[in-house]
Amino acid sequence: MNFAAQFFYSRYLSERLERLYSPKPAIKDSEENDPFWQRDELRLGPSHPGASHKCGSVSNGSASRRLTLIEPDRLKDFGEEELLNGDVKVNDTKEVAAPEIKLQEPPKTRRVSEFRVVPRPPVHYLRFEDISVAAFKIQSGIQKTPCTYSRLSKQYGMEIYLKKEHLHYTGSVKERGALYLLSSLSQRMIPLSQVSQEQQRKGVIVATDCNFSMAVAHHAVELKIPVFVIMPSCCSSPRLRLYRDYGAMVISYGSTGHDSQNHACHLAKENGYLYMEEDESAAYLAGLGTVGMEIYEQVPKLDAVIIPAAGQYGLLAGTAAAIKHLNSQILVIGIEPEGFPLLLQSLKTDSPVKDMHSYPNKKLYGDLVERSLGDNTFHMAKKLVNKVITVSEEDSLVAMLRFQEFERSTVDTEGAMGLAAILAGQLPELKGKRVAVVVSSANMELELVRQCVDRALVLDERVSKFSVQLGEWPGDMAKLLDVLSRAEVRLLDVCHRRHGDKSDLFNAKVECVVETRDKTQSAQLRKMLTERYPSICWLDR
């Protein structure tokens, strides 16, 4: 090392030792107190205000506060050679802006056709509150029909309760819906009732001979509303007289129900009448739903309700809405005729069937041909009805016979369908259960009732017809009658033909119609006559 270097190095050491062992100056508030260092007295700069050191401390690349002297034992952290050479390392720091936030790319717009269209579930078209209001409104004009224990319960192994809606004044459950509909129209309570007082004064008009028309004719007169009924010419005189007794103005027009309906619509438009027909309005369904409220009140611990759905799907939907609201565990079963399974086919296709290519017996199911299933009624039945089954015409006729024998009641085929499903054995899951059966109507003409009873006796194997060959010996006919008398059967008809068979000129053909008590007696009679007369031939009608 040369002389100049030694001189400057010795001077540097002397100044450093002087600063280390000189008295500690007071630290001003503006000076930095860095807790990172162990010795606070190790600071650079003048020890008194008058010092000649003019340089300030460097922070973030700018002159601000005085530099802090680094402790010797921490020189290894920053490089000892740089400090010994007298160089001060200044770390330039740069202010870096915050990182730029990159936005995600917006999702690609998809066409409507790419989305899967999910149908919305049907809304509750009929609320229980509507049914409760209907029950309160019609309680003064509709009698509370009984729901009695049936004598057929033990025979079919279940507790059967019959809700006898056929006991209404017009013989039909549709009085409930018609009365509440007329009351709602007069009070302007529903959208359908956009009816002016002038229209109410002029009256309402209905067409065709059905249970709904009878209910409207009766209750419209009770509410002081003029009512007109358009009937086809094929309607019988007793039925026309029945409408006139209610107080309606009856007009015969056309040969079919369609002709009457078209004429009724024409008169309504021309004269300002309100044309009424059976529909699925909320007021009409609420009135029919009051049946469910009464059943739930009259039959405790109920397990199932059987409701006919022939031509009156509003009864099924309204009653199901009331029952399911009160107790969702109660089964609701709908019954349809086998010749017109409109609801059953609609449930299979998951949409209301508009055109049913089936033609039921018009005498037995006259109202069915003109009826259809609405969208709202279909969705309610789909959601609330547990099971829908069909019954044959034969089972319905036999059920009518059971009503007459055990319940002392005369009902029509629609009213007997609920019991027909039970006696046909289509509801084995209800064995030992408590079941309510709605008997909806009993509007059938007397002559048709007689024909149905005769047919039902044959179907029930209680009326039999046979033919037998007898000789011309005296007493052969008397012996046959004596056999029938000892068998305790009732002889309904007998025909003795002597010249009916060319093969045997000396024999006579005898045809007899007999009635037995039940199937057991009928089987015994067949066995006895077959053994005595080998030529006997049974003729089943």
Side-chain angles (χ1 to χ4, degrees):
M1 181 180 299
N2 54 21
F3 177 77
Q6 290 181 358
F7 175 78
F8 286 107
Y9 182 71
S10 60
R11 186 177 179 180
Y12 166 76
L13 291 177
S14 62
E15 289 178 359
R16 180 178 179 185
L17 291 174
E18 183 181 359
R19 285 194 300 268
L20 288 174
Y21 294 102
S22 62
K24 180 180 178 182
I27 302 175
K28 297 180 180 181
D29 294 336
S30 61
E31 295 179 353
E32 180 181 359
N33 184 16
D34 193 351
F36 179 78
W37 313 113
Q38 296 180 359
R39 297 171 62 180
D40 295 336
E41 65 274 12
L42 299 180
R43 296 178 181 272
L44 296 176
S47 58
H48 54 276
S52 62
H53 186 73
K54 303 294 182 180
C55 182
S57 62
V58 178
S59 176
N60 291 334
S62 60
S64 60
R65 296 183 181 181
R66 292 176 297 179
L67 292 174
T68 302
L69 184 63
I70 303 175
E71 189 179 1
D73 55 346
R74 295 189 62 89
L75 292 177
K76 59 182 181 180
D77 296 337
F78 299 93
E80 184 176 0
E81 294 82 6
E82 297 178 357
L83 181 60
L84 292 178
N85 293 332
D87 298 327
V88 178
K89 182 179 180 180
V90 179
N91 296 324
D92 296 332
T93 58
K94 297 181 179 180
E95 295 183 2
V96 182
E100 182 181 0
I101 301 177
K102 295 183 179 181
L103 299 178
Q104 297 181 356
E105 295 182 1
K108 296 181 180 180
T109 305
R110 298 172 62 184
R111 294 176 297 180
V112 178
S113 59
E114 297 180 5
F115 290 91
R116 181 182 178 184
V117 179
V118 180
R120 295 182 179 180
V123 297
H124 293 281
Y125 179 69
L126 182 63
R127 302 176 303 171
F128 182 76
E129 290 78 6
D130 300 332
I131 302 176
S132 301
V133 172
F136 177 77
K137 292 291 185 180
I138 67 176
Q139 61 180 349
S140 59
I142 294 291
Q143 61 175 336
K144 188 176 182 179
T145 57
C147 189
T148 58
Y149 183 78
S150 176
R151 301 180 181 92
L152 296 168
S153 299
K154 296 181 180 179
Q155 183 175 349
Y156 296 105
M158 62 184 71
E159 297 184 38
I160 302 175
Y161 290 83
L162 300 177
K163 180 60 174 174
K164 300 180 178 180
E165 290 295 306
H166 65 287
L167 296 181
H168 286 293
Y169 188 80
T170 61
S172 172
V173 67
K174 296 186 180 181
E175 280 195 29
R176 297 177 179 269
L179 176 58
Y180 187 55
L181 184 60
L182 289 169
S183 302
S184 301
L185 290 175
S186 61
Q187 298 173 10
R188 302 175 62 92
M189 293 175 57
I190 58 176
L192 179 65
S193 64
Q194 303 299 331
V195 185
S196 62
Q197 296 182 356
E198 182 67 20
Q199 285 179 316
Q200 297 177 20
R201 184 183 64 82
K202 290 183 177 180
V204 298
I205 186 170
V206 293
T208 70
D209 178 23
C210 61
N211 294 330
F212 179 77
S213 298
M214 295 177 66
V216 171
H218 169 62
H219 287 289
V221 174
E222 293 294 324
L223 295 174
K224 310 300 181 182
I225 300 176
V227 57
F228 301 89
V229 181
I230 311 301
M231 289 287 188
S233 58
C234 60
C235 187
S236 61
S237 298
R239 302 288 286 191
L240 295 176
R241 184 171 61 251
L242 189 63
Y243 282 92
R244 292 191 177 99
D245 292 341
Y246 291 153
M249 175 67 69
V250 181
I251 302 174
S252 296
Y253 183 88
S255 58
T256 62
H258 289 288
D259 297 337
S260 301
Q261 292 176 356
N262 294 334
H263 188 61
C265 293
H266 173 72
L267 292 178
K269 183 177 180 180
E270 187 178 33
N271 301 297
Y273 305 138
L274 176 63
Y275 177 67
M276 296 185 63
E277 59 181 348
E278 191 172 5
D279 56 9
E280 54 175 8
S281 62
Y284 185 65
L285 296 182
L288 295 176
T290 57
V291 178
M293 294 183 59
E294 293 186 6
I295 292 176
Y296 186 81
E297 177 185 354
Q298 294 171 328
V299 184
K301 298 180 180 180
L302 188 63
D303 295 313
V305 180
I306 302 176
I307 308 170
Q312 46 194 11
Y313 298 98
L315 173 62
L316 177 62
T319 305
I323 291 293
K324 288 297 185 179
H325 177 85
L326 296 171
N327 188 351
S328 60
Q329 301 300 321
I330 298 178
L331 298 178
V332 177
I333 302 174
I335 311 298
E336 284 190 300
E338 198 175 59
F340 200 77
L342 183 59
L343 179 57
L344 189 61
Q345 292 295 331
S346 300
L347 293 175
K348 289 181 179 179
T349 59
D350 199 24
S351 62
V353 176
K354 300 302 181 181
D355 297 328
M356 190 71 185
H357 300 288
S358 179
Y359 303 96
N361 193 327
K362 292 184 179 181
K363 289 186 177 181
L364 300 179
Y365 305 103
D367 291 352
L368 294 184
V369 182
E370 308 297 335
R371 296 292 175 261
S372 62
L373 182 62
D375 294 334
N376 295 322
T377 309
F378 167 74
H379 288 299
M380 291 179 62
K382 179 183 177 181
K383 183 176 182 180
L384 302 175
V385 178
N386 299 98
K387 187 177 182 180
V388 178
I389 60 177
T390 60
V391 294
S392 62
E393 176 184 319
E394 292 78 8
D395 293 331
S396 298
L397 294 178
V398 175
M400 291 177 58
L401 182 62
R402 295 289 186 270
F403 269 104
Q404 291 188 345
E405 290 182 322
F406 292 90
E407 299 298 331
R408 306 298 187 264
S409 300
T410 301
V411 301
D412 54 18
T413 49
E414 294 182 15
M417 283 196 303
L419 184 60
I422 295 178
L423 63 88
Q426 299 193 46
L427 298 172
E429 66 272 16
L430 299 183
K431 291 290 185 180
K433 304 290 185 178
R434 183 169 293 186
V435 183
V437 180
V438 179
V439 186
S440 58
S441 58
N443 283 326
M444 184 175 285
E445 297 185 23
L446 183 59
E447 178 62 24
L448 185 57
V449 171
R450 186 187 63 81
Q451 296 178 11
C452 291
V453 171
D454 292 342
R455 179 62 178 167
L457 289 172
V458 176
L459 295 172
D460 202 29
E461 298 183 8
R462 293 167 52 181
V463 172
S464 303
K465 181 179 180 181
F466 63 89
S467 64
V468 63
Q469 297 287 342
L470 297 180
E472 291 186 347
W473 299 99
D476 287 349
M477 185 65 180
K479 292 179 181 179
L480 174 61
L481 298 178
D482 183 63
V483 171
L484 297 177
S485 177
R486 285 187 283 108
E488 298 181 353
V489 298
R490 180 185 177 188
L491 183 63
L492 300 179
D493 191 16
V494 59
C495 179
H496 185 265
R497 300 177 180 177
R498 297 184 58 185
H499 308 287
D501 192 356
K502 297 180 179 180
S503 60
D504 195 342
L505 299 178
F506 301 100
N507 288 336
K509 183 179 181 180
V510 179
E511 295 181 357
C512 298
V513 180
V514 295
E515 181 182 357
T516 57
R517 291 188 301 270
D518 49 27
K519 295 181 181 180
T520 303
Q521 188 183 21
S522 178
Q524 294 176 355
L525 177 64
R526 291 195 176 210
K527 180 179 179 181
M528 181 181 60
L529 293 178
T530 302
E531 294 176 352
R532 191 176 186 90
Y533 300 98
S535 62
I536 191 171
C537 179
W538 294 93
L539 307 174
D540 295 328
R541 293 191 293 177

